[in-house]
Amino acid sequence: VGGMQLEQVEDRIRQAYVPKVYSEVVAFVELSAADTTGVLVVGAVTLPGLVQLRRTDRDMLHAIVGAGGVSSDASGVATLRRIRRPSETATYDLKDAAQLRDALMLPPLESGDVLTVHAAPANTIYVGGLVNRALPQIYPHGAQVTALQALAGASGLRTDVAPRDATLVRRMPDGTDAHVRLDLNRMARGEDPNPTLMAGDIL
């Protein structure tokens, strides 16, 4: 009776017994356990592991929801590896509406398929120069860090030389570096903006 609706199962039982065995049969069928598909979901999800999907839910989105949804460090990009067709590896950015639609149009997932949800790269800011701890600072993806916060994270400015200026270096989309001079004293007094830094910025 796999793949049949409950009414179809009742009809099949009735046809098997009427009129060969009984003149009439009343059959009532109740579903005790649905057939499920086991998909392994790993990576940046809340509950990674084997997810059991119902017959009507065998797609990437239901698999991710079954794993507790994406974690806070997820990038939104997922890769599907078919266990029976290893060459059919496909990667989709599920934040993009067109790619999400394409992912949902895939043939149903099968037992043994592996879905990997990729984590977003860490938000790394490089602080150097006349600070007490000149080290890269790593923040969670999406964290908003200002220039003054980054200086505080570097244990502050050195007091023996009292630096007053800083340079913010940001890599632009065309591959060039933009250099912006910052007046630290004016920033500390709130007279100049305290810029929010981006991943990869050098201060």
Side-chain angles (χ1 to χ4, degrees):
V1 297
M4 297 173 62
Q5 301 294 325
L6 295 183
E7 294 82 2
Q8 295 173 318
V9 177
E10 293 172 352
D11 289 340
R12 179 68 62 86
I13 294 172
R14 194 174 295 109
Q15 292 168 9
Y17 282 89
V18 178
K20 300 175 186 174
V21 180
Y22 300 107
S23 59
E24 186 56 52
V25 167
V26 175
F28 173 74
V29 177
E30 187 178 64
L31 183 64
S32 60
D35 186 27
T36 58
T37 298
V39 176
L40 184 62
V41 183
V42 297
V45 290
T46 305
L47 300 169
L50 192 64
V51 175
Q52 299 294 334
L53 299 175
R54 295 181 299 181
R55 183 169 173 263
T56 55
D57 298 339
R58 294 180 296 164
D59 57 59
M60 292 175 67
L61 198 56
H62 279 95
I64 293 172
V65 171
V70 297
S71 61
S72 58
D73 61 343
S75 66
V77 177
T79 298
L80 174 64
R81 290 200 340 261
R82 299 282 194 175
I83 192 69
R84 292 183 176 86
R85 298 181 295 279
S87 61
E88 292 187 15
T89 299
T91 300
Y92 298 92
D93 183 353
L94 301 180
K95 300 188 306 296
D96 181 89
Q99 293 192 45
L100 175 61
R101 183 182 64 247
D102 293 342
L104 294 177
M105 295 296 291
L106 290 172
L109 302 182
E110 299 174 341
S111 290
D113 287 350
V114 179
L115 181 61
T116 302
V117 178
H118 301 281
N123 182 9
T124 304
I125 296 167
Y126 302 88
V127 181
L130 301 176
V131 292
N132 291 309
R133 291 180 66 247
L135 294 170
Q137 299 178 10
I138 300 175
Y139 297 93
H141 175 70
Q144 300 289 315
V145 181
T146 67
L148 291 179
Q149 288 173 327
L151 290 175
S155 296
L157 299 170
R158 285 176 50 182
T159 57
D160 56 337
V161 288
R164 293 175 295 186
D165 298 325
T167 301
L168 172 61
V169 182
R170 176 168 295 171
R171 177 60 55 96
M172 306 306 289
D174 61 2
T176 61
D177 288 335
H179 296 252
V180 178
R181 179 185 170 276
L182 304 175
D183 187 318
L184 298 178
N185 290 331
R186 289 180 60 85
M187 281 174 48
R189 293 192 300 265
E191 297 172 2
D192 281 356
N194 180 17
T196 299
L197 304 182
M198 296 175 57
D201 279 357
I202 301 172
L203 182 62

